[in-house]
Amino acid sequence: MTTKANCGPVWVVAEQVDGRIQNVSLQLVGKARQLADELDVPVEVVLLGQGMKDVVEPLFAAGADRVYLGDDPVLNWYHAETYTEMIVSLALKIQPEILLIGSTCTGRELAPLVAARLATGLTAHCIDLKINDQRILEQWIPAYGGLISIICPQKRPQMATVASGVFPLPDMDESRRGELVMLKAPEAVSGRIRTLEVVRREPETVALESASIVVAGGIGAGDEDGWRQISDLARILNAALGCTRPVVDAGWAGHETMIGQSGKMVSPELYLGIGLSGDLQHLIGVAGARVMAAVNKDARAPVFEQVDYGIVADCREFVPLLIEKIRAYRQSR
Amino acid sequence: MTLQIIVCVKAVPDPAQAGRIRIDPATRTLTRADVPLAFNPLDRNALEAALQIKEKSGARITVLSMGPSGAESIVRECLSLGADHGILLSDRAFAGADAYATSFTLARGIENIGKYDLILCGMASSDGATEWVGPQIASFLGIPAATQVEELTQADSQTLIVRSGMENGYRLMEIKLPALLTATRKLNRPRALSFSGIIKARKKQIVQWGLQDLGLAEDQVGQAASPTVVSAMTTRTARRQVEFIEGSIEEKAEILVQRLAQAGLI
Amino acid sequence: MIDFTFTEEQEMFRKAAREFAENQVAPRVAEMEAAGKVSEAVVRALAEAEMMALTVPEPFGGLGLGYTARMIALEEISRISVATAMMLQVFALGIEPILKFGSEAQKQKYLPDLASGKRLATTAVTEATGGSDPTGIRTSYRKDGDDYIINGRKCFITNSHIADTLTILAKDENDPKAFSAFILEKGMPGFKATHEENKVGMRGCNTGELAFEDVRVSKEQLLFTEGKGLRVTMAAIGDVGRGGMVGCALGVQAACLEASVKFSRERILYGKPISQLPTIQSKLAEMKIDLEAGRLLAYRACAIQDKGQPSSNEFAVAKYFTTEAAQKAAKMAVDIHGGYGCMQEYAVSRYLRDAFVLGPSAGTSDIMKVIIARWVLS
């Protein structure tokens, strides 16, 4: 491939689970394609796993020019040291200009390990990426009630993590082809960390990303009883149940249901925010909702600046009443 | 042989009040709010994990923090909770450090301490929220790291069994010491401060180390050694015009259902 | 210069006490209110958190922290539960006479268990005929060989039914001017806790009556010198008892202000939070002024007390000011809450009931004025 640019390619480190490429990786390839076109450089993807040869096609369809594939039994499960070593040695050779990784559980561990080894900067959970007029990557994150842009002017690659749903899935061009480069897996894996078991449960609830109604609860639920009320509301509305970080911290809900900058991005027809203050880190995850309503005890809560309907009330009193009224409305029809 | 544990802690703007630090729409700089420092919540889980190991099989716990001299009160709090020794890395040159430079300085502080078997950090700080510092310290020290730890048991004196959170599940790992772990809220329930613990901490030392104590040059620390910089700030304006639904709490529920039904949403 | 700031250690004590109150006491407030009884779990938690040990010197198993630390702890606990703070303050009031006037043997015998919470303490002076004027009491003792025989009744005694070790005041059957203090133990023949009160406020602490029917005690139970009992009990009540009430009152003041700030920011009227109305702001400002002034009076008196100097007059001023201010603050807090202020679910209704129990405890405001007037006229 010829390129006029004097900089390296845009990289995405893709993630697979049980041989399936994750949506966030395809979203990042789509974004990488845009950035690479502006820089006039290729998009390259690094993928590590086992039995992956037949599943790399979507990466090309999403916009990759080249895929570096490590395909080996030792790479089946994510292994911090092995993965880091392979990515770092390849990056030192190829010198990518930009390196994007999904803000997944393993991505959030792998990215800082790679960045430290490459002695470069890493921006967490970006909600937008832009090339500025100096051809530098602006990495936008929410902070202090606004947005700030972080750049990495000197060091390369410019590294960022991005949560699933921040960027849309790109249009898949099945006819696109690219180059598949096989990577050699290390002969021996460091025994300092040994993965004994990886367990994944199928989530029982409606998937947040595809739900047409999302009910999100915050710490205002008060306790587990309050949280149960909010999940009852979600069930009655046939809605997906999401939450804010404090709820995850309190242990009422799992990290996989967290909405926002470092969690899921959703764009339902209706968003109902219950007992949450409306930190930008959370609201950024629901900006795509069509209609938004929020319940909070404090009329000054920032959430009321971002919703269509506001209800000032204690959610513990309000939610049972709302459930009652929804039932009554349905019976009346 | 006693296990040597180092717990890295951070003094953060009190999370309950941190919302007062905002971007000024006019100047596009941060408003200087007088927010007091507090113990980063997840670091308390990291310390608790260390204290539980100490109680079970014996350990010496050193607390390490980087920050302004006001951060000493957080180190003192750790000593009051049961840590044995405190070190504060404080120097004007350390200011403005991003996660990379912070991790580098902390790693140098750890090397300065010398011997260690286990390093514990909170998964993330409530202000920076990057999650990078723990794994990057491990990287600089050349030791293995496991992040997002939800469960921790000692298999033997040199091996830990660690459970890390994953989407809809977890990973179970065996990890050889020396190693670094980052703690989540699920790992434990941190103990409360006690009056007698505070009294016992009177006799415990907090050492301050600056640039020279760490044998570092100005360009190796702080803003000068940070690969990332903030290049711009914007404030967001409300994109939606809120309609407050008024009435008794029951009327509010009734009206909300009507509005949503009219919009074809339920 | 006078340093009016708390030390870093004192700030940490406050943090410890606040965490204790919020984590250990707050979850049990509703249960205490409904039952009108002491929560055993709270007593256990107080003991585990070494709250009974604050004023006891280290050689006797205590923390030896003195009275400023005690005030900090009481203020923070009262902010969550006045009843719990009241119970705790009276533990110290029960410990104080033994601490200040006990023989070495009495200290060795009682203080370690009182500090650890294994035994609970109170001091009993008040009777139907005298309390603030203790010379009016009728409980009496007479000598019988090396023993004393005690007869009489006490009323309005905090911790009456839960205390294991009680310091009581009695007068000589044969000499109405001679008063002596005795250490009584639960289970002594003839000694009973009888009627238990059902109070409108501070429902989670126990108040009741004690009866003594020919209670025979050996001379080892006599506290300090025979005939000097008034000095023993008055010193404890004047400093530790009054000081404890000040801590309870400050907690109420702080809780009222916090609840009012929170509610007035949440309650919308005329399209705005009521915190923007001048009339509400005036109330909030008054509460803050009283709280700041009350704290200065309280901690100054503690500073004198920690130096070992007499502080009962200073505490009389502080007790008058802070309990009056707590009652005022509770009324304003209820007013700010409007209709909600009359509902059990809102804590301010409890603050109002608790605040009114602060008044008579350890001497009414009128008695405080008598004491203060005596001070200025002396």
Side-chain angles (χ1 to χ4, degrees):
Chain A
M1 179 160 303
T2 56
T3 164
K4 290 175 282 180
N6 54 2
C7 70
V10 176
W11 265 25
V12 174
V13 172
E15 182 176 343
Q16 55 86 20
V17 173
D18 299 333
R20 258 201 65 218
I21 291 166
Q22 297 299 286
N23 274 349
V24 64
S25 304
L26 297 175
Q27 293 158 5
L28 288 183
V29 172
K31 186 67 193 178
R33 180 76 264 161
Q34 288 174 14
L35 301 173
D37 286 346
E38 284 186 56
L39 293 172
D40 200 11
V41 297
V43 172
E44 300 184 347
V45 177
V46 182
L47 178 64
L48 306 177
Q50 182 191 8
M52 301 298 298
K53 275 198 194 90
D54 301 329
V55 299
V56 295
E57 292 308 320
L59 294 171
F60 294 123
D65 298 305
R66 185 175 292 124
V67 174
Y68 295 101
L69 178 65
D71 197 59
D72 193 283
V74 303
L75 300 174
N76 182 24
W77 281 339
Y78 161 79
H79 184 270
E81 295 190 287
T82 313
Y83 274 43
T84 304
E85 195 55 50
M86 287 185 72
I87 294 163
V88 166
S89 52
L90 187 64
L92 288 172
K93 205 168 93 191
I94 308 290
Q95 303 279 330
E97 178 73 3
I98 292 171
L99 196 166
L100 307 177
I101 300 185
S103 290
T104 60
C105 287
T106 53
R108 279 150 45 211
E109 178 173 293
L110 182 60
L113 292 172
V114 170
R117 288 282 303 279
L118 295 175
T120 189
L122 171 63
T123 307
H125 318 315
C126 298
I127 57 134
D128 202 5
L129 297 170
K130 284 178 201 154
I131 303 287
N132 73 8
D133 48 17
Q134 274 104 48
R135 294 167 60 86
I136 286 176
L137 184 69
E138 285 185 352
Q139 304 156 68
W140 287 87
I141 58 167
Y144 311 112
L147 294 174
I148 64 176
S149 155
I150 293 178
I151 57 169
C152 181
Q154 312 293 339
K155 305 284 184 164
R156 292 295 177 269
Q158 303 164 85
M159 284 184 66
T161 66
V162 180
S164 177
V166 169
F167 300 119
L169 275 175
D171 295 331
M172 303 295 267
D173 179 356
E174 307 295 339
S175 65
R176 260 189 119 262
R177 290 286 171 270
E179 182 188 357
L180 184 64
V181 180
M182 298 306 292
L183 298 175
K184 201 163 144 310
E187 276 160 24
V189 173
S190 150
R192 299 196 295 183
I193 307 176
R194 207 155 62 83
T195 306
L196 305 174
E197 192 183 19
V198 175
V199 172
R200 286 177 189 265
R201 300 172 294 265
E202 275 310 306
E204 296 152 11
T205 45
V206 184
L208 275 168
E209 295 93 327
S210 55
S212 61
I213 303 180
V214 167
V215 172
I219 199 72
D223 55 22
E224 289 191 22
D225 282 341
W227 182 253
R228 255 191 299 278
Q229 288 179 357
I230 296 175
S231 30
D232 286 347
L233 175 64
R235 206 169 26 252
I236 280 150
L237 286 169
N238 196 25
L241 180 64
C243 69
T244 61
R245 178 175 286 285
V247 169
V248 176
D249 287 345
W252 303 336
H255 188 277
E256 65 274 6
T257 63
M258 189 170 88
I259 294 173
Q261 184 198 4
S262 54
K264 297 258 161 73
M265 300 279 167
V266 300
S267 39
E269 287 292 298
L270 170 63
Y271 164 89
L272 265 177
I274 315 274
L276 48 85
S277 63
D279 269 347
L280 203 55
Q281 279 82 350
H282 169 73
L283 287 182
I284 214 92
V286 295
R290 185 159 76 82
V291 175
M292 296 176 70
V295 183
N296 193 294
K297 276 176 80 167
D298 187 349
R300 301 179 318 157
V303 70
F304 291 127
E305 294 167 19
Q306 302 282 340
V307 296
D308 305 291
Y309 299 111
I311 286 143
V312 181
D314 183 338
C315 64
R316 300 187 47 129
E317 291 170 49
F318 184 78
V319 170
L321 284 170
L322 185 60
I323 290 173
E324 207 177 284
K325 298 290 175 196
I326 292 167
R327 285 204 171 113
Y329 167 76
R330 287 197 171 142
Q331 274 161 19
S332 73
R333 294 176 67 213
Chain B
M1 217 168 57
T2 320
L3 211 59
Q4 301 287 328
I5 304 179
I6 296 171
V7 183
C8 298
V9 302
K10 183 177 184 186
V12 295
D14 186 347
Q17 297 180 46
R20 286 167 47 206
I21 308 173
R22 310 289 283 186
I23 297 171
D24 185 320
T27 61
R28 297 212 175 152
T29 55
L30 292 185
T31 54
R32 288 186 61 84
D34 193 19
V35 177
L37 291 175
F39 196 161
N40 180 44
L42 290 174
D43 296 347
R44 221 168 149 165
N45 295 85
L47 177 62
E48 179 62 32
L51 293 170
Q52 287 182 10
I53 291 171
K54 180 179 170 179
E55 280 164 359
K56 217 166 147 210
S57 41
R60 186 179 151 78
I61 302 172
T62 302
V63 169
L64 178 67
S65 186
M66 181 179 112
S69 56
E72 192 178 314
S73 66
I74 303 302
V75 178
R76 177 68 59 194
E77 196 171 324
C78 295
L79 300 182
S80 300
L81 286 163
D84 301 295
H85 188 59
I87 295 165
L88 179 65
L89 307 182
S90 199
D91 196 304
R92 220 181 302 169
F94 298 159
D98 68 1
Y100 180 92
T102 301
S103 311
F104 180 79
T105 308
L106 285 168
R108 188 52 78 97
I110 290 167
E111 284 169 343
N112 227 29
I113 294 168
K115 200 182 146 18
Y116 57 86
D117 300 295
L118 177 62
I119 300 169
L120 287 158
C121 303
M123 182 184 80
S125 62
S126 63
D127 59 342
T130 62
E131 308 179 32
W132 305 157
V133 170
Q136 295 203 328
I137 290 173
S139 187
F140 289 124
L141 295 173
I143 60 172
T147 61
Q148 303 157 67
V149 173
E150 299 175 346
E151 233 178 69
L152 165 63
T153 48
Q154 281 174 281
D156 58 56
S157 66
Q158 286 309 306
T159 316
L160 301 177
I161 305 290
V162 162
R163 202 181 90 174
S164 281
M166 283 258 272
E167 288 84 3
N168 301 313
Y170 61 84
R171 296 188 285 146
L172 198 67
M173 288 165 288
E174 188 187 85
I175 187 160
K176 292 265 182 251
L177 300 180
L180 182 146
L181 308 178
T182 72
T184 61
R185 183 72 69 108
K186 281 189 190 156
L187 182 57
N188 50 43
R189 239 192 104 195
R191 69 196 58 201
L193 264 176
S194 75
F195 280 57
S196 57
I198 296 168
I199 294 168
K200 279 189 202 126
R202 284 174 184 166
K203 293 199 192 86
K204 298 176 184 172
Q205 295 292 314
I206 298 176
V207 179
Q208 268 206 32
W209 286 341
L211 195 61
Q212 293 189 337
D213 300 300
L214 298 184
L216 292 171
E218 292 220 9
D219 61 0
Q220 290 177 289
V221 297
Q223 197 160 13
S226 297
T228 60
V229 291
V230 173
S231 66
M233 292 186 186
T234 64
T235 51
R236 287 164 60 95
T237 48
R239 288 172 304 106
R240 296 180 194 238
Q241 188 58 49
V242 66
E243 176 196 342
F244 278 108
I245 295 175
E246 303 280 350
S248 73
I249 189 159
E250 194 156 355
E251 286 160 1
K252 287 176 183 170
E254 180 84 51
I255 296 167
L256 179 65
V257 171
Q258 283 170 15
R259 293 288 150 84
L260 299 181
Q262 281 157 11
L265 291 165
I266 57 174
Chain C
M1 265 309 276
I2 305 165
D3 186 356
F4 283 109
T5 58
F6 290 109
T7 64
E8 187 190 4
E9 187 177 280
Q10 286 166 336
E11 294 288 5
M12 217 179 296
F13 287 147
R14 187 176 292 283
K15 192 168 174 184
R18 179 166 292 213
E19 281 182 8
F20 167 79
E22 288 176 352
N23 297 332
Q24 302 289 324
V25 183
R28 291 166 179 133
V29 167
E31 162 204 327
M32 288 191 272
E33 281 299 297
K37 288 215 179 306
V38 171
S39 156
E40 280 177 32
V42 167
V43 175
R44 232 179 358 255
L46 284 168
E48 275 169 24
E50 308 155 297
M51 290 293 174
M52 286 79 143
L54 297 181
T55 55
V56 178
E58 282 165 297
F60 299 108
L63 297 175
L65 283 174
Y67 301 96
T68 304
R70 172 185 182 241
M71 182 66 77
I72 290 170
L74 285 175
E75 193 186 345
E76 289 300 326
I77 292 170
S78 176
R79 177 178 156 269
I80 298 298
S81 165
V82 191
T84 304
M86 180 68 178
M87 171 166 70
L88 178 63
Q89 97 92 346
V90 175
F91 290 150
L93 174 61
I95 290 170
E96 188 74 7
I98 302 175
L99 197 64
K100 287 282 155 67
F101 296 96
S103 65
E104 194 55 31
Q106 286 169 332
K107 288 185 188 174
Q108 293 290 357
K109 181 175 175 189
Y110 290 110
L111 291 179
D113 282 355
L114 292 173
S116 71
K118 200 168 151 199
R119 283 166 164 273
L120 305 177
T122 191
T123 288
V125 173
T126 302
E127 298 178 16
T129 51
S132 293
D133 172 18
T135 59
I137 65 165
R138 288 184 179 158
T139 295
S140 65
Y141 66 90
R142 67 169 190 274
K143 238 182 150 158
D144 185 37
D146 267 357
D147 295 344
Y148 296 89
I149 295 172
I150 301 167
N151 277 287
R153 311 179 73 82
K154 299 280 173 190
C155 65
F156 299 145
I157 304 304
T158 304
N159 298 347
S160 54
H161 288 59
I162 62 169
D164 306 285
T165 303
L166 307 88
T167 299
I168 68 143
L169 184 69
K171 71 162 84 172
D172 190 335
E173 227 175 72
N174 306 311
D175 178 0
K177 291 218 170 72
F179 293 82
S180 293
F182 298 93
I183 305 171
L184 262 54
E185 289 178 42
K186 191 182 236 172
M188 284 180 161
F191 166 45
K192 268 202 311 241
T194 54
H195 173 66
E196 195 171 354
E197 303 291 351
N198 182 15
K199 304 191 294 301
V200 295
M202 292 195 203
R203 291 180 54 75
C205 72
N206 149 251
T207 310
E209 296 184 1
L210 303 172
F212 318 106
E213 264 180 69
D214 291 328
V215 179
R216 176 180 289 273
V217 299
S218 69
K219 65 173 194 282
E220 279 75 41
Q221 302 308 111
L222 175 71
L223 189 52
F224 199 48
T225 315
E226 191 180 333
K228 304 272 190 197
L230 278 179
R231 214 180 117 193
V232 173
T233 52
M234 284 307 99
I237 290 171
D239 299 11
V240 175
R242 253 171 238 159
M245 294 319 301
V246 172
C248 293
L250 287 175
V252 176
Q253 288 183 261
C256 288
L257 178 57
E258 266 176 60
S260 299
V261 166
K262 187 163 182 287
F263 183 85
S264 62
R265 279 178 167 168
E266 289 166 3
R267 175 83 174 114
I268 308 286
L269 203 65
Y270 313 121
K272 283 188 302 198
I274 59 171
S275 61
Q276 294 182 21
L277 299 175
T279 172
I280 300 293
Q281 290 188 349
S282 164
K283 286 189 169 76
L284 296 177
E286 269 183 59
M287 281 191 237
K288 179 67 173 165
I289 292 163
D290 281 353
L291 179 58
E292 290 294 317
R295 281 195 174 135
L296 285 175
L297 290 172
Y299 286 101
R300 173 168 180 272
C302 285
I304 296 168
Q305 193 180 16
D306 276 334
K307 278 188 171 173
Q309 292 170 3
S311 54
S312 60
N313 288 328
E314 285 78 4
F315 275 121
V317 174
K319 204 263 169 189
Y320 175 89
F321 185 86
T322 56
T323 56
E324 288 286 325
Q327 293 175 1
K328 225 169 78 188
K331 180 178 183 299
M332 286 192 280
V334 167
D335 288 345
I336 287 172
H337 280 67
Y340 296 104
C342 306
M343 305 299 156
Q344 296 270 11
E345 298 92 293
Y346 281 77
V348 287
S349 68
R350 169 166 59 88
Y351 302 155
L352 187 67
R353 291 184 286 106
D354 287 347
F356 277 84
V357 184
L358 292 170
S361 305
T364 61
S365 285
D366 294 306
I367 291 291
M368 291 308 116
K369 281 188 174 168
V370 170
I371 293 164
I372 295 160
R374 207 185 284 153
W375 181 27
V376 297
L377 294 170
S378 67

